[in-house]
Amino acid sequence: MTDMKLTKAINDCIERREKAFVPYIMAGDDGLETLKKNILFLQEAGVTAIEIGIPFSDPVADGPVIQEAGERALAHGVTLRNVLKELASFNKEVTIPLVIMTYLNPILRYGIDEFIKDCGDSGIDGLIIPDLPLEESALLRDSLVGSGIALIPLVSLTSPPDRIRKITAKGEGFIYAVTVNGITGVRDGFDDDLAAHFERLKAVSPVPVLAGFGISTPEQVRTIGALADGVIVGSAIVDAFHRKDLQAVEALVKA
Amino acid sequence: MVKEASLTQSNGVGRYGKFGGQFVPETLMTALIELEEAYDGAMADSTFVDEVNYYLKDYVGRENPLYFAEKLTKSAGGAKIYLKREDLNHTGAHKINNSLGQALLAVRMGKKKIVAETGAGQHGVATATACALFGLDCVIFMGAEDIRRQELNVFRMELLGAKVVSVNKGAATLKDAVNEALRYWVANVEDTHYILGSALGPHPFPKIVRDFQRVIGVETRRQIMEKEERLPDAIVACIGGGSNAIGMFHPFLDDEDVALYGVEAAGSGIETGLHAAAIADGKEGVLHGAYMYVLQDDDGFIQEAHSISAGLDYPAVGPEHCHLHDIGRVKYTSVTDAGALEGLQLLARTEGIIPALESAHAVKFAVELAKDMAKEEILVICLSGRGDKDVQTVRNALGGGLND
């Protein structure tokens, strides 16, 4: 699935000898009306793609910053359904790929086929579902065939080599390589073996490999970015938008 | 909603019909696969099984009695009522059966640290106890609201050397404690084992917890044959996640003449929306790694459960119970907070046994059921825990006095 829009956007970066930069934002943090503004701002700033988080009542893979953003979004009544509807209202202005990150249960409630159809109408190019590992992924994979929407797998530091091969073999869009054991959030240091981990990953993956979890400073964007094909930055971006510190957002994008 | 075919076609393991599975972050998958291998190896090793049985006998005090509750039987005026006395176990509930087994498994796997969640505190106390016994570091996550309701159990865990971490998210009850325990496990997975306390969570937990709790039903079966020379006509157990119930029911599943009843917590009443009855009022969905009946809204957000009993205060029911409901093998019903308080007082007055509020739900339903049964019929209640921990809650609920 290397012909997908998402993969192409990242490969274009690689060809230009640049690193892909994918910011994560919490949809509807400080109200749903911020969604369009933030997406267009990031597009203008030159990001490769955007990961849009859907708030959930029980976000077990998220650290404190994203949990709190999710609680604010939930307090504003943000749901998977109204995020897709909002995105559909301005998707003609969006030229970069958009990826939805949501836990599985809201998709099940929505109805898998209806959800995929609405993703198509809203210009969604990929899905990241943190509680849908390889073993359970057939649940969505079959329905996604022909949709042009990538099911982006996560690989963790605890995934052994044969498992990494199985996961990457089915990889679409890009591989989301989790750089720490644990939840999303700001960290000081990373494992020394990270370079070797990324070497192995890139050697077997048919799609680009992006690093995420715990990357929060421009310096980390550069050091981790050097190992992977690009980075995903979550908590630091969410925090900067919440503080309305757009300079901090730009500093991360331009790192 | 979800096509049945797509769920069964999934490569996933650990399915009970369409329920169960492994809906967890990738970071945990390797640990779950290792856990399953270690567990299967342990159960095939007679040395391990003997060790578990040794501690169950000499440390927990098994087998515990199957007691003929003559006074309660007379009060109900119907079937003969027996009580399976899990309340007499060391630490006061069935939870120790599982905590002990899993702690021994952790030792066998070379893991030195344990994380667990707790609602009422019974699983936390049982786990802290097993960790003290085997020299394991122990961190227990507990909702702030439950800490308020079960202050003494918190102190018990601390006396046993465990670290109790208060969870302030959501309604600050069991669901939120599980979220935090899972986050902690993800971050510390390489040297930590998660002792899940109910028949919930990703595979292989529902199976492991069930197997360690099966001793309840296995003993009951042997004991009733000794006393009555036949199987009971009905068995009643309370259901939060469903660990005491699945342990009691499982050895009887193939005995079609034994009617099985699971009693959920109806809180203020199913119609009020303030309850914990996921089979009565939930919809299929995924929570904490498994496909189950889950209390949720139309957007798929998980709803808070409500029950006077902290141990039943969970918005889903373990996957095997969901399947047993679907195939009709177990009948699931519910009892309100008020009903549980009546059951608790009735057992206290008639038999001199104060049951846990959780078990009081089963007592209340069982007494109503017994009334409609013939005198020569036999009914067994799984008395999953003792009520010492609940005395303060009951006192407050009864307005500081007794309602007679």
Side-chain angles (χ1 to χ4, degrees), chain A residues 76-148:
Chain A
H76 280 99
V78 175
T79 65
L80 181 54
R81 206 171 273 280
N82 61 26
V83 169
L84 288 181
K85 207 171 156 202
E86 177 73 9
L87 288 170
S89 74
F90 65 91
N91 75 349
K92 294 210 167 44
E93 299 171 56
V94 181
T95 54
I96 55 174
L98 299 180
V99 173
I100 289 278
M101 181 285 187
T102 175
Y103 291 85
L104 180 60
N105 202 54
I107 297 178
L108 297 179
R109 263 336 280 158
Y110 205 114
I112 290 173
D113 292 339
E114 191 190 347
F115 168 69
I116 292 169
K117 185 192 159 292
D118 288 356
C119 279
D121 293 346
S122 301
I124 301 303
D125 301 286
L127 299 174
I128 297 170
I129 305 168
D131 53 353
L132 192 74
L134 178 69
E135 280 77 359
E136 305 288 358
S137 63
L139 190 59
L140 252 75
R141 196 179 299 281
D142 299 349
S143 303
L144 282 168
V145 172
S147 68

Side-chain angles (χ1 to χ4, degrees), chain A residues 55-60 62 67 79 104-105 108-109 113 130-131 133 135-136 154 156 158-160 163 167 181, chain B residues 1 10 12 15 21-27 29-30 169 175 179 183 190 283 285-286 296 299-302:
Chain A
F56 186 52
S57 51
D58 297 83
V60 294
D62 287 310
Q67 282 181 50
T79 65
L104 180 60
N105 202 54
L108 297 179
R109 263 336 280 158
D113 292 339
D131 53 353
E135 280 77 359
E136 305 288 358
L154 288 100
S156 85
T158 58
S159 315
R163 190 171 167 84
I167 294 171
N181 285 343
Chain B
M1 167 199 54
S10 157
R15 282 270 152 56
Q22 293 179 306
F23 297 91
V24 294
E26 171 61 20
T27 307
M29 279 309 300
T30 299
K169 308 245 164 55
K175 170 176 83 98
N179 287 344
R183 288 187 184 111
E190 291 180 41
K283 298 178 195 83
V286 165
Q296 55 183 303
D299 291 303
F301 299 141
I302 312 303

